[in-house]
């Protein structure tokens, strides 16, 4: 069963904010939300992660709803170089073995348009 | 240095060949990973090494044989592969196997003829 649901694709105009949604309605209390992205011909790149509170770093902001059933990754000023597949991943904080590892879903193909 | 370096970038091999993929990191990370990615699909975990010991094998066929000679190096030995094994093979590392931030290399694009 998929732990996260993301739209298959999205477009965003260059310079505008890109808001990428993720549904994780079955998330449990000890599971974090992680975001990675994969630019074409490169390996995935860590963006941000959070548990309950909203998080911000130099790349993006992560907004998690109060019930934690969904989240939004925000790229405040998208550039052409942000065109990539964005993966939302739910990962337990305390676990062992395979359950603790990153499991990628299908992701969202974000295309930033000039 | 925050790079994970993978060689070669591209590899073409026949089904009877033996080849190896190499991965190197100098970040002092003690966990290293192999992922496999088919075209237009997400990466799938194959192996995890923690402190140079194999800690996770995701039921990968024995024609794939991982090796971690030291804390900076990770190899994937390939033997008697099938055409369906053609994929992008990604190496990653993290401070520990429980760490949330994985650093990925750019991968080796493997074609099995």
């Amino acid at each position: 069963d998929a732990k996260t649901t993301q739209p298959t694709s999205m477009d965003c105009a260059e310079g505008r904010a890109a808001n990428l949604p993720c549904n994780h309605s079955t998330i449990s209390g000890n599971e974090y939300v992680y975001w990675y992205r994969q630019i074409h011909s490169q390996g995935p790149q860590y963006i941000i992660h959070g548990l309950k509170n909203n998080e911000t770093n130099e790349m993006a902001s992560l907004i998690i709803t109060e019930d934690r059933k969904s989240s939004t990754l925000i790229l405040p000023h998208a550039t052409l170089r942000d065109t990539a597949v964005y993966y939302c991943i739910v990962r337990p904080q305390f676990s062992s073995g395979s359950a603790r590892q990153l499991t990628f879903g299908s992701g969202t193909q974000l295309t930033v348009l000039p | 240095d925050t790079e994970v370096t993978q060689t070669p970038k591209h590899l073409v091999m026949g089904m009877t060949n033996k080849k190896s993929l190499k991965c190197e990191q100098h970040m002092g990370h003690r966990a290293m990973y192999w992922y496999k990615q088919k075209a237009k699909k997400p990466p799938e975990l194959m192996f995890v090494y923690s402190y140079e010991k194999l800690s996770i094998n995701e039921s990968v066929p024995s024609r794939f044989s991982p090796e971690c000679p030291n804390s900076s190096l990770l190899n994937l030995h390939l033997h008697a592969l099938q055409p369906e094994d053609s994929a992008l093979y990604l190496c990653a590392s993290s401070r520990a196997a429980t760490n949330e931030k994985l650093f990925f290399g750019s991968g080796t694009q493997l074609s099995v003829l």
Side-chain angles (χ1 to χ4, degrees):
Chain A
D1 290 339
K3 284 195 157 187
T4 63
T5 304
Q6 299 177 253
T8 303
S9 63
M10 294 180 64
D11 292 341
C12 175
E14 190 178 19
R16 303 297 293 268
N19 297 281
L20 293 99
C22 180
N23 183 292
H24 31 80
S25 57
T26 60
I27 194 170
S28 62
N30 74 339
E31 289 182 316
Y32 280 79
V33 179
Y34 292 81
W35 285 84
Y36 278 72
R37 74 179 182 183
Q38 187 172 20
I39 297 169
H40 184 61
S41 299
Q42 296 183 23
Q45 177 190 22
Y46 167 85
I47 301 173
I48 200 167
H49 75 283
L51 183 64
K52 293 181 184 178
N53 300 321
N54 298 337
E55 302 287 345
T56 295
N57 63 20
E58 65 279 4
M59 288 184 70
S61 295
L62 174 60
I63 308 299
I64 302 174
T65 58
E66 194 168 340
D67 64 8
R68 301 187 68 241
K69 292 185 177 181
S70 65
S71 60
T72 301
L73 179 75
I74 300 172
L75 308 178
H77 305 286
T79 71
L80 299 179
R81 288 176 295 179
D82 292 321
T83 292
V85 177
Y86 286 76
Y87 296 102
C88 171
I89 302 165
V90 166
R91 184 182 185 192
Q93 180 184 14
F94 304 112
S95 188
S96 61
S98 299
R100 189 67 176 80
Q101 303 305 319
L102 278 183
T103 301
F104 291 84
S106 300
T108 296
Q109 171 65 58
L110 174 70
T111 303
V112 180
L113 304 171
Chain B
D1 183 0
T2 58
E3 278 197 3
V4 174
T5 304
Q6 291 189 243
T7 55
K9 292 195 183 305
H10 302 275
L11 179 63
V12 179
M13 61 186 290
M15 289 188 285
T16 59
N17 292 157
K18 286 185 181 180
K19 297 286 185 183
S20 296
L21 310 184
K22 297 186 183 303
C23 175
E24 191 168 4
Q25 56 86 14
H26 296 287
M27 294 178 277
H29 290 173
R30 302 313 300 267
M32 296 187 78
Y33 310 75
W34 281 115
Y35 280 80
K36 173 182 176 178
Q37 186 173 24
K38 301 281 279 184
K40 300 191 186 301
K41 297 291 187 182
E44 295 178 344
L45 182 66
M46 299 175 72
F47 302 104
V48 180
Y49 272 83
S50 179
Y51 290 87
E52 293 120 70
K53 287 188 167 55
L54 182 65
S55 62
I56 293 175
N57 176 342
E58 291 287 271
S59 303
V60 179
S62 60
R63 57 185 183 269
F64 295 91
S65 176
E67 178 196 22
C68 191
N70 60 54
S71 60
S72 299
L73 294 174
L74 185 67
N75 299 321
L76 186 63
H77 303 298
L78 314 173
H79 173 55
L81 293 194
Q82 303 297 310
E84 59 264 30
D85 296 321
S86 298
L88 180 68
Y89 289 85
L90 292 160
C91 173
S93 70
S94 62
R95 278 189 294 131
T98 54
N99 187 254
E100 70 279 0
K101 192 172 181 179
L102 268 64
F103 291 78
F104 283 82
S106 294
T108 294
Q109 186 65 55
L110 174 68
S111 296
V112 182
L113 304 180

